[in-house]
RNA sequence: GCUGGGGUAGCUCAGUCGGUAGAGCAGGGGACUGAAAAUCCCCGUGUCGGGAGUUCAAUUCUCUCCCCCAGCA
């Protein structure tokens, strides 16, 4: 069985991935599939920088704004959904263009995940509770005895990874590093990664400008309406940068100025983490974000289209 | 003008019973295998407002000057 061709557009937030994707879609007859963990949520298209409805009419789009804010998404669910979206696009004769910023989701999709079953919420909750009462040191020490290999890789303060490792062990009776070891790293698609490169100094003013544009475009009203429908500050859909700050403002816990400056700082820090993540990926071909023609030439050459 | 509180890292501040100083945030670097726009790790020399005095030694005590804040005039 031959692998499907897919183009992945990567890079930090705010570099113009949407524009590049639309350019490539036009040239090759493509369909855009989202791999951004926050743009899947309904009700906040502006704040999460989803493609506008105008942009979405230019070619078919998948996986934008379809989840309810109370629903949680994770790499496994995403990978599953994206796989079928790719299938649909191919069936329609379109070149799938994966666009987004969640590196983990892209890896999960391209290389697959270990077949770890879902963790029952009872188990998750009890481990969370133990972390709260006993602390990271104690649970890390516990992990050290059951899975020294994985424990060595993570820090006692890393609550998320420690509790994940323990809950997987409790659920499956197997240790996380053994699950990971059985994975085969074969790609599941014939993929080409195109990176839009921009360093932080250049990106920062663009991010600030984008926040201003979002606010001018009605971001507060959008968030207010969405929050009224789902008035839970901790809903999974509200964990995106921008949402959290605007909710604080809406709930009168912050001035708009405070919300704005926090929003920018966190966006910038996020962009930096993305840069770090993508920087180490040798598969990525880096481009000037504006040079869509050069990206297209590489796509043409690589896939002989 | 008077009284009180301040002037310490880019910002907000802690501290030194006298032996030249440290947190949070910001910033820089990094990790990342089912919460990932998450979670986490590493990196801190700065005329301790200026000047003078006491002292072996002052950012720390004293005096003085400058600046900020609050209150009183």
């Amino acid at each position: 069985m031959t692998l499907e061709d897919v183009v992945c557009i990567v890079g930090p937030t705010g570099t113009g991935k949407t524009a590049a994707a639309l350019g490539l879609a036009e040239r090759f007859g493509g369909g855009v599939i989202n791999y951004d963990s926050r743009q899947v949520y309904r009700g906040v298209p502006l704040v999460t920088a989803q493609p506008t409805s105008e942009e979405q009419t230019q070619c078919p789009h998948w996986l934008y704004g379809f989840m309810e804010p109370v629903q949680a998404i994770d790499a496994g669910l995403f990978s599953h959904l994206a796989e079928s979206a790719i299938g649909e696009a191919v069936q329609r004769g379109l070149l799938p263009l994966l666009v987004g910023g969640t590196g983990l989701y892209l890896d999960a999709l391209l290389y697959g995940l270990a077949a770890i079953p879902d963790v029952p919420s009872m188990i998750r909750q009890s481990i969370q509770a133990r972390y709260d009462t006993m602390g990271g040191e104690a649970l890390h020490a516990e992990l050290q005895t059951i899975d020294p290999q994985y424990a060595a890789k993570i820090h006692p303060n890393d609550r998320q990874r420690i509790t994940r490792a323990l809950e997987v062990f409790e659920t499956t009776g197997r240790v996380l590093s053994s699950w990971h070891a059985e994975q085969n790293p074969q790609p599941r698609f014939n993929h080409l990664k195109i990176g839009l490169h921009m360093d932080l100094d250049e990106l920062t003013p663009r991010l600030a400008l984008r926040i201003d544009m979002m606010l001018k475009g009605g971001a507060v009203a959008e968030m207010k309406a969405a929050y009224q429908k789902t008035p839970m500050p901790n809903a999974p859909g509200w964990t995106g940068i921008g949402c959290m700050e605007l909710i604080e403002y809406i709930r009168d816990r912050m001035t708009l100025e405070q919300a704005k400056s926090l929003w920018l700082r966190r966006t910038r820090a996020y962009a930096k983490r993305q840069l770090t993540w993508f920087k180490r990926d040798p598969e990525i071909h880096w481009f000037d974000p504006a040079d869509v023609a050069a990206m297209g030439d590489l796509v043409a050459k690589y896939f002989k289209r």
Side-chain angles (χ1 to χ4, degrees), chain A residues 37 105 114 157-158 160 180 268 273 280:
Chain A
S37 74
Y105 282 18
N157 291 346
D158 196 340
Q160 243 176 61
H180 291 162
R268 205 189 111 96
R273 271 179 271 132
R280 67 169 182 177

PDB file of all heavy atoms in Angstrom, chain A residues 37 105 114 157-158 160 180 268 273 280, chain B residues 28 32-34 36-39 41:
ATOM      1  N   SER A  37      -4.464  22.574  18.208  1.00  0.00           N
ATOM      2  CA  SER A  37      -5.307  22.039  19.272  1.00  0.00           C
ATOM      3  C   SER A  37      -6.374  23.022  19.765  1.00  0.00           C
ATOM      4  O   SER A  37      -7.321  22.620  20.428  1.00  0.00           O
ATOM      5  CB  SER A  37      -4.444  21.609  20.454  1.00  0.00           C
ATOM      6  OG  SER A  37      -3.975  22.740  21.152  1.00  0.00           O
ATOM      7  N   TYR A 105       0.610  17.065  17.977  1.00  0.00           N
ATOM      8  CA  TYR A 105      -0.489  16.510  17.192  1.00  0.00           C
ATOM      9  C   TYR A 105       0.009  16.065  15.824  1.00  0.00           C
ATOM     10  O   TYR A 105      -0.385  15.020  15.306  1.00  0.00           O
ATOM     11  CB  TYR A 105      -1.614  17.541  17.023  1.00  0.00           C
ATOM     12  CG  TYR A 105      -2.502  17.715  18.237  1.00  0.00           C
ATOM     13  CD1 TYR A 105      -2.094  17.286  19.503  1.00  0.00           C
ATOM     14  CD2 TYR A 105      -3.753  18.314  18.121  1.00  0.00           C
ATOM     15  CE1 TYR A 105      -2.904  17.471  20.610  1.00  0.00           C
ATOM     16  CE2 TYR A 105      -4.575  18.483  19.215  1.00  0.00           C
ATOM     17  CZ  TYR A 105      -4.149  18.067  20.466  1.00  0.00           C
ATOM     18  OH  TYR A 105      -4.964  18.242  21.550  1.00  0.00           O
ATOM     19  N   ALA A 114       1.407   4.948  20.449  1.00  0.00           N
ATOM     20  CA  ALA A 114       1.318   3.612  21.024  1.00  0.00           C
ATOM     21  C   ALA A 114      -0.142   3.305  21.323  1.00  0.00           C
ATOM     22  O   ALA A 114      -0.929   4.213  21.582  1.00  0.00           O
ATOM     23  CB  ALA A 114       2.148   3.543  22.300  1.00  0.00           C
ATOM     24  N   ASN A 157       8.834  18.181  39.285  1.00  0.00           N
ATOM     25  CA  ASN A 157       7.806  19.226  39.220  1.00  0.00           C
ATOM     26  C   ASN A 157       6.876  19.075  38.028  1.00  0.00           C
ATOM     27  O   ASN A 157       5.911  19.820  37.896  1.00  0.00           O
ATOM     28  CB  ASN A 157       8.471  20.600  39.111  1.00  0.00           C
ATOM     29  CG  ASN A 157       9.181  20.987  40.380  1.00  0.00           C
ATOM     30  OD1 ASN A 157       8.979  20.366  41.421  1.00  0.00           O
ATOM     31  ND2 ASN A 157      10.025  21.990  40.296  1.00  0.00           N
ATOM     32  N   ASP A 158       7.196  18.139  37.154  1.00  0.00           N
ATOM     33  CA  ASP A 158       6.412  18.028  35.926  1.00  0.00           C
ATOM     34  C   ASP A 158       5.164  17.187  36.171  1.00  0.00           C
ATOM     35  O   ASP A 158       5.074  16.024  35.786  1.00  0.00           O
ATOM     36  CB  ASP A 158       7.278  17.429  34.815  1.00  0.00           C
ATOM     37  CG  ASP A 158       6.677  17.648  33.431  1.00  0.00           C
ATOM     38  OD1 ASP A 158       5.458  17.905  33.345  1.00  0.00           O
ATOM     39  OD2 ASP A 158       7.429  17.557  32.444  1.00  0.00           O
ATOM     40  N   GLN A 160       2.229  17.032  34.913  1.00  0.00           N
ATOM     41  CA  GLN A 160       1.501  16.412  33.816  1.00  0.00           C
ATOM     42  C   GLN A 160       2.101  15.073  33.391  1.00  0.00           C
ATOM     43  O   GLN A 160       1.403  14.104  33.165  1.00  0.00           O
ATOM     44  CB  GLN A 160       1.507  17.358  32.626  1.00  0.00           C
ATOM     45  CG  GLN A 160       0.119  17.793  32.261  1.00  0.00           C
ATOM     46  CD  GLN A 160       0.112  18.812  31.150  1.00  0.00           C
ATOM     47  OE1 GLN A 160       0.552  18.578  30.042  1.00  0.00           O
ATOM     48  NE2 GLN A 160      -0.408  19.977  31.462  1.00  0.00           N
ATOM     49  N   HIS A 180       5.976   2.966  24.854  1.00  0.00           N
ATOM     50  CA  HIS A 180       6.653   3.784  23.838  1.00  0.00           C
ATOM     51  C   HIS A 180       7.630   2.953  23.020  1.00  0.00           C
ATOM     52  O   HIS A 180       7.788   3.166  21.827  1.00  0.00           O
ATOM     53  CB  HIS A 180       7.389   4.951  24.503  1.00  0.00           C
ATOM     54  CG  HIS A 180       6.461   5.967  25.082  1.00  0.00           C
ATOM     55  ND1 HIS A 180       6.854   6.889  26.027  1.00  0.00           N
ATOM     56  CD2 HIS A 180       5.145   6.191  24.867  1.00  0.00           C
ATOM     57  CE1 HIS A 180       5.813   7.653  26.354  1.00  0.00           C
ATOM     58  NE2 HIS A 180       4.767   7.242  25.672  1.00  0.00           N
ATOM     59  N   ARG A 268       3.784  35.322  22.827  1.00  0.00           N
ATOM     60  CA  ARG A 268       5.192  35.352  22.462  1.00  0.00           C
ATOM     61  C   ARG A 268       5.937  34.148  23.032  1.00  0.00           C
ATOM     62  O   ARG A 268       6.734  33.504  22.357  1.00  0.00           O
ATOM     63  CB  ARG A 268       5.811  36.649  23.001  1.00  0.00           C
ATOM     64  CG  ARG A 268       7.018  37.113  22.265  1.00  0.00           C
ATOM     65  CD  ARG A 268       7.667  38.270  23.022  1.00  0.00           C
ATOM     66  NE  ARG A 268       8.917  37.816  23.559  1.00  0.00           N
ATOM     67  CZ  ARG A 268      10.090  37.990  22.967  1.00  0.00           C
ATOM     68  NH1 ARG A 268      10.151  38.627  21.826  1.00  0.00           N
ATOM     69  NH2 ARG A 268      11.183  37.529  23.501  1.00  0.00           N
ATOM     70  N   ARG A 273       8.275  28.599  22.236  1.00  0.00           N
ATOM     71  CA  ARG A 273       8.247  27.145  22.439  1.00  0.00           C
ATOM     72  C   ARG A 273       8.063  26.418  21.110  1.00  0.00           C
ATOM     73  O   ARG A 273       8.672  25.380  20.869  1.00  0.00           O
ATOM     74  CB  ARG A 273       7.108  26.775  23.388  1.00  0.00           C
ATOM     75  CG  ARG A 273       7.510  26.789  24.846  1.00  0.00           C
ATOM     76  CD  ARG A 273       6.343  26.438  25.747  1.00  0.00           C
ATOM     77  NE  ARG A 273       5.611  27.654  26.111  1.00  0.00           N
ATOM     78  CZ  ARG A 273       4.303  27.814  26.057  1.00  0.00           C
ATOM     79  NH1 ARG A 273       3.519  26.828  25.659  1.00  0.00           N
ATOM     80  NH2 ARG A 273       3.761  28.950  26.400  1.00  0.00           N
ATOM     81  N   ARG A 280      14.321  21.594  15.993  1.00  0.00           N
ATOM     82  CA  ARG A 280      15.101  20.361  16.066  1.00  0.00           C
ATOM     83  C   ARG A 280      14.617  19.295  15.079  1.00  0.00           C
ATOM     84  O   ARG A 280      15.159  18.193  15.046  1.00  0.00           O
ATOM     85  CB  ARG A 280      15.027  19.802  17.487  1.00  0.00           C
ATOM     86  CG  ARG A 280      13.625  19.342  17.815  1.00  0.00           C
ATOM     87  CD  ARG A 280      13.561  18.549  19.086  1.00  0.00           C
ATOM     88  NE  ARG A 280      12.188  18.109  19.286  1.00  0.00           N
ATOM     89  CZ  ARG A 280      11.804  17.340  20.278  1.00  0.00           C
ATOM     90  NH1 ARG A 280      12.673  16.953  21.177  1.00  0.00           N
ATOM     91  NH2 ARG A 280      10.548  16.975  20.377  1.00  0.00           N
TER      92      ARG A 280
ATOM     93  P     G B  28      13.505  36.371  24.464  1.00  0.00           P
ATOM     94  OP1   G B  28      13.537  36.715  23.033  1.00  0.00           O
ATOM     95  OP2   G B  28      12.404  35.546  24.998  1.00  0.00           O
ATOM     96  O5'   G B  28      14.879  35.690  24.869  1.00  0.00           O
ATOM     97  C5'   G B  28      16.112  36.202  24.360  1.00  0.00           C
ATOM     98  C4'   G B  28      17.249  35.331  24.838  1.00  0.00           C
ATOM     99  O4'   G B  28      17.321  35.381  26.286  1.00  0.00           O
ATOM    100  C3'   G B  28      17.088  33.853  24.544  1.00  0.00           C
ATOM    101  O3'   G B  28      17.428  33.527  23.206  1.00  0.00           O
ATOM    102  C2'   G B  28      18.062  33.249  25.549  1.00  0.00           C
ATOM    103  O2'   G B  28      19.393  33.424  25.148  1.00  0.00           O
ATOM    104  C1'   G B  28      17.756  34.117  26.779  1.00  0.00           C
ATOM    105  N9    G B  28      16.682  33.508  27.563  1.00  0.00           N
ATOM    106  C8    G B  28      15.368  33.888  27.623  1.00  0.00           C
ATOM    107  N7    G B  28      14.646  33.114  28.403  1.00  0.00           N
ATOM    108  C5    G B  28      15.538  32.163  28.870  1.00  0.00           C
ATOM    109  C6    G B  28      15.354  31.055  29.746  1.00  0.00           C
ATOM    110  O6    G B  28      14.317  30.695  30.291  1.00  0.00           O
ATOM    111  N1    G B  28      16.535  30.359  29.948  1.00  0.00           N
ATOM    112  C2    G B  28      17.744  30.669  29.385  1.00  0.00           C
ATOM    113  N2    G B  28      18.770  29.869  29.696  1.00  0.00           N
ATOM    114  N3    G B  28      17.942  31.698  28.568  1.00  0.00           N
ATOM    115  C4    G B  28      16.805  32.396  28.363  1.00  0.00           C
ATOM    116  P     C B  32      13.059  15.651  24.130  1.00  0.00           P
ATOM    117  OP1   C B  32      13.550  14.287  24.227  1.00  0.00           O
ATOM    118  OP2   C B  32      13.168  16.383  22.876  1.00  0.00           O
ATOM    119  O5'   C B  32      11.519  15.674  24.566  1.00  0.00           O
ATOM    120  C5'   C B  32      11.115  15.204  25.874  1.00  0.00           C
ATOM    121  C4'   C B  32       9.690  15.691  26.110  1.00  0.00           C
ATOM    122  O4'   C B  32       9.670  17.133  25.998  1.00  0.00           O
ATOM    123  C3'   C B  32       8.716  15.153  25.068  1.00  0.00           C
ATOM    124  O3'   C B  32       7.541  14.720  25.703  1.00  0.00           O
ATOM    125  C2'   C B  32       8.459  16.335  24.157  1.00  0.00           C
ATOM    126  O2'   C B  32       7.121  16.385  23.729  1.00  0.00           O
ATOM    127  C1'   C B  32       8.679  17.525  25.067  1.00  0.00           C
ATOM    128  N1    C B  32       9.159  18.703  24.323  1.00  0.00           N
ATOM    129  C2    C B  32       8.356  19.856  24.347  1.00  0.00           C
ATOM    130  O2    C B  32       7.307  19.845  25.002  1.00  0.00           O
ATOM    131  N3    C B  32       8.763  20.954  23.666  1.00  0.00           N
ATOM    132  C4    C B  32       9.899  20.929  22.979  1.00  0.00           C
ATOM    133  N4    C B  32      10.247  22.029  22.322  1.00  0.00           N
ATOM    134  C5    C B  32      10.732  19.769  22.944  1.00  0.00           C
ATOM    135  C6    C B  32      10.327  18.682  23.620  1.00  0.00           C
ATOM    136  P     U B  33       7.091  13.410  26.180  1.00  0.00           P
ATOM    137  OP1   U B  33       5.934  13.720  27.028  1.00  0.00           O
ATOM    138  OP2   U B  33       8.233  12.636  26.667  1.00  0.00           O
ATOM    139  O5'   U B  33       6.560  12.735  24.831  1.00  0.00           O
ATOM    140  C5'   U B  33       5.576  13.375  24.065  1.00  0.00           C
ATOM    141  C4'   U B  33       4.685  12.315  23.476  1.00  0.00           C
ATOM    142  O4'   U B  33       5.392  11.670  22.414  1.00  0.00           O
ATOM    143  C3'   U B  33       4.295  11.248  24.487  1.00  0.00           C
ATOM    144  O3'   U B  33       2.923  10.966  24.364  1.00  0.00           O
ATOM    145  C2'   U B  33       5.170  10.044  24.123  1.00  0.00           C
ATOM    146  O2'   U B  33       4.455   8.830  24.238  1.00  0.00           O
ATOM    147  C1'   U B  33       5.456  10.277  22.649  1.00  0.00           C
ATOM    148  N1    U B  33       6.765   9.776  22.222  1.00  0.00           N
ATOM    149  C2    U B  33       6.712   8.676  21.384  1.00  0.00           C
ATOM    150  O2    U B  33       5.658   8.175  21.032  1.00  0.00           O
ATOM    151  N3    U B  33       7.938   8.219  20.975  1.00  0.00           N
ATOM    152  C4    U B  33       9.157   8.731  21.307  1.00  0.00           C
ATOM    153  O4    U B  33      10.159   8.222  20.859  1.00  0.00           O
ATOM    154  C5    U B  33       9.133   9.871  22.185  1.00  0.00           C
ATOM    155  C6    U B  33       7.953  10.336  22.610  1.00  0.00           C
ATOM    156  P     G B  34       1.988  10.779  25.548  1.00  0.00           P
ATOM    157  OP1   G B  34       2.317  11.865  26.477  1.00  0.00           O
ATOM    158  OP2   G B  34       1.936   9.390  26.008  1.00  0.00           O
ATOM    159  O5'   G B  34       0.583  11.089  24.872  1.00  0.00           O
ATOM    160  C5'   G B  34       0.244  12.419  24.470  1.00  0.00           C
ATOM    161  C4'   G B  34      -1.250  12.502  24.515  1.00  0.00           C
ATOM    162  O4'   G B  34      -1.778  11.522  23.594  1.00  0.00           O
ATOM    163  C3'   G B  34      -1.825  12.180  25.880  1.00  0.00           C
ATOM    164  O3'   G B  34      -2.915  13.031  26.106  1.00  0.00           O
ATOM    165  C2'   G B  34      -2.258  10.717  25.761  1.00  0.00           C
ATOM    166  O2'   G B  34      -3.386  10.443  26.520  1.00  0.00           O
ATOM    167  C1'   G B  34      -2.596  10.614  24.286  1.00  0.00           C
ATOM    168  N9    G B  34      -2.373   9.294  23.706  1.00  0.00           N
ATOM    169  C8    G B  34      -1.206   8.612  23.489  1.00  0.00           C
ATOM    170  N7    G B  34      -1.394   7.440  22.931  1.00  0.00           N
ATOM    171  C5    G B  34      -2.771   7.358  22.780  1.00  0.00           C
ATOM    172  C6    G B  34      -3.573   6.331  22.241  1.00  0.00           C
ATOM    173  O6    G B  34      -3.212   5.259  21.764  1.00  0.00           O
ATOM    174  N1    G B  34      -4.910   6.653  22.280  1.00  0.00           N
ATOM    175  C2    G B  34      -5.423   7.825  22.786  1.00  0.00           C
ATOM    176  N2    G B  34      -6.741   7.957  22.747  1.00  0.00           N
ATOM    177  N3    G B  34      -4.700   8.800  23.290  1.00  0.00           N
ATOM    178  C4    G B  34      -3.389   8.491  23.252  1.00  0.00           C
ATOM    179  P     A B  36      -4.063  19.430  24.781  1.00  0.00           P
ATOM    180  OP1   A B  36      -4.856  20.285  25.661  1.00  0.00           O
ATOM    181  OP2   A B  36      -4.599  18.529  23.786  1.00  0.00           O
ATOM    182  O5'   A B  36      -2.941  20.345  24.062  1.00  0.00           O
ATOM    183  C5'   A B  36      -2.566  21.590  24.633  1.00  0.00           C
ATOM    184  C4'   A B  36      -1.117  21.824  24.328  1.00  0.00           C
ATOM    185  O4'   A B  36      -0.324  20.955  25.141  1.00  0.00           O
ATOM    186  C3'   A B  36      -0.782  21.529  22.866  1.00  0.00           C
ATOM    187  O3'   A B  36       0.033  22.574  22.369  1.00  0.00           O
ATOM    188  C2'   A B  36       0.042  20.227  22.946  1.00  0.00           C
ATOM    189  O2'   A B  36       1.060  20.199  21.986  1.00  0.00           O
ATOM    190  C1'   A B  36       0.651  20.351  24.317  1.00  0.00           C
ATOM    191  N9    A B  36       1.104  19.095  24.925  1.00  0.00           N
ATOM    192  C8    A B  36       0.458  18.251  25.783  1.00  0.00           C
ATOM    193  N7    A B  36       1.181  17.231  26.171  1.00  0.00           N
ATOM    194  C5    A B  36       2.387  17.418  25.531  1.00  0.00           C
ATOM    195  C6    A B  36       3.579  16.677  25.523  1.00  0.00           C
ATOM    196  N6    A B  36       3.759  15.568  26.211  1.00  0.00           N
ATOM    197  N1    A B  36       4.586  17.147  24.771  1.00  0.00           N
ATOM    198  C2    A B  36       4.395  18.268  24.083  1.00  0.00           C
ATOM    199  N3    A B  36       3.330  19.050  24.007  1.00  0.00           N
ATOM    200  C4    A B  36       2.352  18.570  24.757  1.00  0.00           C
ATOM    201  P     A B  37      -0.511  23.641  21.446  1.00  0.00           P
ATOM    202  OP1   A B  37      -1.816  23.295  20.918  1.00  0.00           O
ATOM    203  OP2   A B  37       0.574  23.794  20.499  1.00  0.00           O
ATOM    204  O5'   A B  37      -0.657  24.965  22.310  1.00  0.00           O
ATOM    205  C5'   A B  37       0.512  25.604  22.846  1.00  0.00           C
ATOM    206  C4'   A B  37       0.012  26.802  23.629  1.00  0.00           C
ATOM    207  O4'   A B  37      -0.630  27.689  22.725  1.00  0.00           O
ATOM    208  C3'   A B  37      -1.002  26.391  24.680  1.00  0.00           C
ATOM    209  O3'   A B  37      -0.803  26.990  25.900  1.00  0.00           O
ATOM    210  C2'   A B  37      -2.368  26.650  24.002  1.00  0.00           C
ATOM    211  O2'   A B  37      -3.287  27.182  24.910  1.00  0.00           O
ATOM    212  C1'   A B  37      -2.028  27.746  22.986  1.00  0.00           C
ATOM    213  N9    A B  37      -2.741  27.662  21.702  1.00  0.00           N
ATOM    214  C8    A B  37      -2.851  26.643  20.801  1.00  0.00           C
ATOM    215  N7    A B  37      -3.518  26.958  19.721  1.00  0.00           N
ATOM    216  C5    A B  37      -3.882  28.288  19.931  1.00  0.00           C
ATOM    217  C6    A B  37      -4.617  29.206  19.155  1.00  0.00           C
ATOM    218  N6    A B  37      -5.095  28.913  17.962  1.00  0.00           N
ATOM    219  N1    A B  37      -4.797  30.434  19.673  1.00  0.00           N
ATOM    220  C2    A B  37      -4.269  30.721  20.860  1.00  0.00           C
ATOM    221  N3    A B  37      -3.559  29.942  21.683  1.00  0.00           N
ATOM    222  C4    A B  37      -3.408  28.728  21.149  1.00  0.00           C
ATOM    223  P     A B  38       0.105  27.415  26.869  1.00  0.00           P
ATOM    224  OP1   A B  38      -0.288  28.674  27.507  1.00  0.00           O
ATOM    225  OP2   A B  38       1.450  27.226  26.332  1.00  0.00           O
ATOM    226  O5'   A B  38      -0.164  26.246  27.918  1.00  0.00           O
ATOM    227  C5'   A B  38      -1.483  25.892  28.296  1.00  0.00           C
ATOM    228  C4'   A B  38      -1.448  24.448  28.719  1.00  0.00           C
ATOM    229  O4'   A B  38      -1.075  23.633  27.584  1.00  0.00           O
ATOM    230  C3'   A B  38      -0.383  24.115  29.763  1.00  0.00           C
ATOM    231  O3'   A B  38      -0.841  24.421  31.057  1.00  0.00           O
ATOM    232  C2'   A B  38      -0.220  22.617  29.546  1.00  0.00           C
ATOM    233  O2'   A B  38      -1.315  21.920  30.085  1.00  0.00           O
ATOM    234  C1'   A B  38      -0.289  22.536  28.029  1.00  0.00           C
ATOM    235  N9    A B  38       1.032  22.604  27.404  1.00  0.00           N
ATOM    236  C8    A B  38       1.551  23.588  26.604  1.00  0.00           C
ATOM    237  N7    A B  38       2.760  23.336  26.165  1.00  0.00           N
ATOM    238  C5    A B  38       3.061  22.100  26.715  1.00  0.00           C
ATOM    239  C6    A B  38       4.188  21.270  26.639  1.00  0.00           C
ATOM    240  N6    A B  38       5.275  21.572  25.934  1.00  0.00           N
ATOM    241  N1    A B  38       4.163  20.106  27.316  1.00  0.00           N
ATOM    242  C2    A B  38       3.073  19.801  28.023  1.00  0.00           C
ATOM    243  N3    A B  38       1.946  20.496  28.175  1.00  0.00           N
ATOM    244  C4    A B  38       2.002  21.639  27.488  1.00  0.00           C
ATOM    245  P     U B  39       0.143  25.087  32.075  1.00  0.00           P
ATOM    246  OP1   U B  39      -0.631  25.313  33.308  1.00  0.00           O
ATOM    247  OP2   U B  39       0.842  26.199  31.414  1.00  0.00           O
ATOM    248  O5'   U B  39       1.205  23.931  32.337  1.00  0.00           O
ATOM    249  C5'   U B  39       0.806  22.739  33.000  1.00  0.00           C
ATOM    250  C4'   U B  39       1.932  21.749  32.949  1.00  0.00           C
ATOM    251  O4'   U B  39       2.213  21.384  31.571  1.00  0.00           O
ATOM    252  C3'   U B  39       3.274  22.266  33.436  1.00  0.00           C
ATOM    253  O3'   U B  39       3.341  22.295  34.846  1.00  0.00           O
ATOM    254  C2'   U B  39       4.213  21.228  32.832  1.00  0.00           C
ATOM    255  O2'   U B  39       4.099  20.000  33.513  1.00  0.00           O
ATOM    256  C1'   U B  39       3.592  21.057  31.447  1.00  0.00           C
ATOM    257  N1    U B  39       4.216  21.958  30.459  1.00  0.00           N
ATOM    258  C2    U B  39       5.433  21.544  29.920  1.00  0.00           C
ATOM    259  O2    U B  39       5.967  20.489  30.219  1.00  0.00           O
ATOM    260  N3    U B  39       5.990  22.401  29.018  1.00  0.00           N
ATOM    261  C4    U B  39       5.475  23.624  28.607  1.00  0.00           C
ATOM    262  O4    U B  39       6.091  24.285  27.776  1.00  0.00           O
ATOM    263  C5    U B  39       4.225  23.978  29.220  1.00  0.00           C
ATOM    264  C6    U B  39       3.649  23.155  30.108  1.00  0.00           C
ATOM    265  P     C B  41      10.320  23.425  36.885  1.00  0.00           P
ATOM    266  OP1   C B  41      10.498  23.235  38.333  1.00  0.00           O
ATOM    267  OP2   C B  41       9.874  24.729  36.360  1.00  0.00           O
ATOM    268  O5'   C B  41      11.680  23.058  36.130  1.00  0.00           O
ATOM    269  C5'   C B  41      12.354  21.845  36.424  1.00  0.00           C
ATOM    270  C4'   C B  41      13.581  21.732  35.550  1.00  0.00           C
ATOM    271  O4'   C B  41      13.181  21.720  34.151  1.00  0.00           O
ATOM    272  C3'   C B  41      14.531  22.924  35.640  1.00  0.00           C
ATOM    273  O3'   C B  41      15.397  22.784  36.755  1.00  0.00           O
ATOM    274  C2'   C B  41      15.279  22.804  34.317  1.00  0.00           C
ATOM    275  O2'   C B  41      16.221  21.754  34.340  1.00  0.00           O
ATOM    276  C1'   C B  41      14.142  22.419  33.371  1.00  0.00           C
ATOM    277  N1    C B  41      13.484  23.574  32.734  1.00  0.00           N
ATOM    278  C2    C B  41      14.131  24.206  31.657  1.00  0.00           C
ATOM    279  O2    C B  41      15.243  23.790  31.307  1.00  0.00           O
ATOM    280  N3    C B  41      13.530  25.258  31.036  1.00  0.00           N
ATOM    281  C4    C B  41      12.338  25.669  31.458  1.00  0.00           C
ATOM    282  N4    C B  41      11.770  26.707  30.815  1.00  0.00           N
ATOM    283  C5    C B  41      11.655  25.061  32.558  1.00  0.00           C
ATOM    284  C6    C B  41      12.262  24.024  33.162  1.00  0.00           C
TER     285        C B  41
END
